[in-house]
């Protein structure tokens, strides 16, 4: 799972969000590391929808334009959980090895 | 104001949805780098036109189709533009050419002889043997003791060409060869051009067979504006190819049988047209000034060309692919739908 995808799914964990809401939330959650362009976001949402990981929760019309709110599906929740677990394992493994290396540096 | 780049997206609510997001971002004080934003919308919008958001292959296929469509458009534009090409050399220009090529010799120019006399003034036509050629003038002049000194004669010709503002593109031996590769005589040829004309000259000298003559052919060089028109037509052709491919891709999306049939027909068409496309790569020599219109870059689409017979079945395959797509009723699009709700 690529990083923008990870943050998009993470942004949708607590509540459905519209496109700009997802952009804002991913920027906040990633400490500004991921700033999504609108085109990139909707391409990712199309792909995630085709994979069944997100869906449209509801839609409102604002100034004559549709504003869709996207939500995480059960598959999306499971995929994010699996990815989170994988990343945690990776981080934990790397941490252990770094801890083991420190005495060598000191000595 | 609605950014024009939004029209890269297929028609539907997505355009307005993206616009809504852009407006909210602007109202939220998010700085907009318009060039980056436009490029992003164009790239993702054109990708959205292909449908099948999970597929990477669809982008590769669309790119190939776009290149081939660009080639077709450029070929058509080039052929049409040649109708407005400058005239063949005038009588005085022909006399000056003769004097430069063979000073003092009775050199006369003959018009070309297309297979169909009605093509006499056409920029391209088939000539003896059915091969496509460009309109030209030709001359065969008996050689002299001076022209029989091939190297000396060609050195003099090169100087006269250079003095007259011509550029020698190629200079090569043209003798018949024995089985072991050794030349049977000292015949040689020269290819030169200026902004307007291309000269091919063969100094045929084979004493054993009592051959001593100068053969010259003069073509019109491709004017810069025709090259510009050709390249300019390639881009809209490629975009149109991408859009038509996207239309077919979206219509057949979610229909495995129709997808397989459409891809098979289109892929077969691409394979059949491949030789013509590869021959067209020669057109890039127009950038270095080495392109010769005598063998136009679209010659592979001509029925008389050795590969030209493949062009028609290729076009038929593309038509079949489009017909299959046209008969498909689009199923529910894979773009997120309200109906996706659990």
């Amino acid at each position: 799972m690529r990083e923008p995808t990870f943050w998009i799914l993470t942004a949708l964990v607590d509540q459905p969000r519209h496109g700009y809401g997802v952009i804002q939330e991913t920027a906040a959650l990633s400490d500004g590391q991921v700033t999504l362009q609108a085109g990139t976001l909707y391409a990712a949402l199309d792909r995630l929808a085709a994979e069944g990981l997100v869906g449209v929760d509801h839609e409102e019309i604002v100034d004559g334009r549709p504003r869709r709110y996207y939500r995480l599906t059960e598959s999306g929740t499971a995929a994010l959980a699996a990815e989170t677990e994988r990343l945690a394992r990776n981080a934990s493994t790397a941490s252990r090895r770094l801890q083991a290396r420190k005495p060598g540096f000191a000595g | 104001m609605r950014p024009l780049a939004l029209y890269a997206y297929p028609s539907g609510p997505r355009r307005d949805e993206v616009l809504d997001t852009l407006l909210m971002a602007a109202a939220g004080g998010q700085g907009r780098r318009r060039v980056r934003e436009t490029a992003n919308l164009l790239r993702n919008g054109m990708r959205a036109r292909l449908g099948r958001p999970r597929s990477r292959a669809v982008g590769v296929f669309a790119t190939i189709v776009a290149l081939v469509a660009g080639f077709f458009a450029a070929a058509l534009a080039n052929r049409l533009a040649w109708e407005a090409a400058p005239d063949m050399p005038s009588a005085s220009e022909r006399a000056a050419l003769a004097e430069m090529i063979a000073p003092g010799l009775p050199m006369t120019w003959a018009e070309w002889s297309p297979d169909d006399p009605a093509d006499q003034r056409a920029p391209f036509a088939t000539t003896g043997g059915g091969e496509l050629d460009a309109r030209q003038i030709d001359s065969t002049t008996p050689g002299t003791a001076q022209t029989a000194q091939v190297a000396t004669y060609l050195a003099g010709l090169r100087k006269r060409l250079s003095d007259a503002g011509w550029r020698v593109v190629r200079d090569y031996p043209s003798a018949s060869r024995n089985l072991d590769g050794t030349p049977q005589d000292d015949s040689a040829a020269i290819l030169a051009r200026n902004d307007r004309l291309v000269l091919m000259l063969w100094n045929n000298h084979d004493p054993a067979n009592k051959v001593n003559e100068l053969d010259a052919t003069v073509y019109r060089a491709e004017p810069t504006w025709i090259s510009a028109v050709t390249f300019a037509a390639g881009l809209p052709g490629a975009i149109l190819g991408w859009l038509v491919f996207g239309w077919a891709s979206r219509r057949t999306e979610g229909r495995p049988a129709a997808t397989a049939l459409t891809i098979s027909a289109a892929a077969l068409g691409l394979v059949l047209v491949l030789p013509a496309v590869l021959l067209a790569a020669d057109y890039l020599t127009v950038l270095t000034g080495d392109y010769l219109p005598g063998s136009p870059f679209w010659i592979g689409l001509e029925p008389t060309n050795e590969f030209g017979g493949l062009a028609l079945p290729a076009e038929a395959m593309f038509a079949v692919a489009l017909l299959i797509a046209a008969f498909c009723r689009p199923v529910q699009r894979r773009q997120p739908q309200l109906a996706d709700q659990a």
Side-chain angles (χ1 to χ4, degrees), chain A residues 40 42 56-57 67 70-71, chain B residues 14 17 20-21 40 336 341:
Chain A
T40 308
Y42 284 104
V56 175
D57 187 79
R67 182 173 293 172
Y70 295 87
R71 63 175 167 74
Chain B
R14 174 51 55 81
E17 191 182 7
D20 187 54
T21 301
N40 185 267
Q341 290 182 66

Side-chain angles (χ1 to χ4, degrees), chain A residues 36-82:
Chain A
L36 291 169
Q37 292 276 322
T40 308
L41 169 72
Y42 284 104
L45 287 174
D46 281 345
R47 184 170 44 78
L48 292 171
E51 292 169 355
L53 305 184
V54 303
V56 175
D57 187 79
H58 64 281
E59 178 179 300
E60 48 186 47
I61 304 296
V62 180
D63 295 334
R65 292 185 295 273
R67 182 173 293 172
R68 288 175 169 174
Y69 287 74
Y70 295 87
R71 63 175 167 74
L72 208 54
T73 63
E74 285 185 16
S75 298
T77 307
L80 180 60

Side-chain angles (χ1 to χ4, degrees), chain B residues 100 152-166 168 190:
Chain B
M100 178 180 69
T152 308
Y153 164 76
L154 286 181
L157 176 59
R158 287 176 72 101
K159 181 170 186 321
R160 293 193 294 278
L161 284 166
S162 175
D163 290 346
W166 289 64
V168 174
I190 208 166

Side-chain angles (χ1 to χ4, degrees), chain B residues 109-122 124-138:
Chain B
W109 295 101
E111 298 294 335
W112 71 333
S113 305
D115 294 337
D116 182 351
D119 288 336
Q120 187 67 43
R121 299 187 64 78
F124 300 95
T126 57
T127 56
E131 277 295 313
L132 188 80
D133 207 346
R135 190 175 171 194
Q136 59 197 254
I137 52 174
D138 303 289

Side-chain angles (χ1 to χ4, degrees), chain B residues 144-214:
Chain B
T144 62
Q146 284 74 35
T147 64
Q149 302 298 315
V150 176
T152 308
Y153 164 76
L154 286 181
L157 176 59
R158 287 176 72 101
K159 181 170 186 321
R160 293 193 294 278
L161 284 166
S162 175
D163 290 346
W166 289 64
R167 179 170 67 88
V168 174
V169 178
R170 235 173 290 150
D171 194 355
Y172 52 96
S174 61
S176 303
R177 292 187 177 270
N178 296 311
L179 286 176
D180 64 0
T182 54
Q184 293 176 351
D185 56 77
D186 61 349
S187 298
I190 208 166
L191 172 61
R193 63 172 297 158
N194 63 13
D195 289 344
R196 235 175 70 68
L197 301 171
V198 175
L199 165 69
M200 298 181 75
L201 181 113
W202 292 266
N203 186 345
N204 298 320
H205 182 237
D206 181 3
N209 291 303
K210 296 189 168 62
V211 173
N212 182 17
E213 64 182 21
L214 296 177

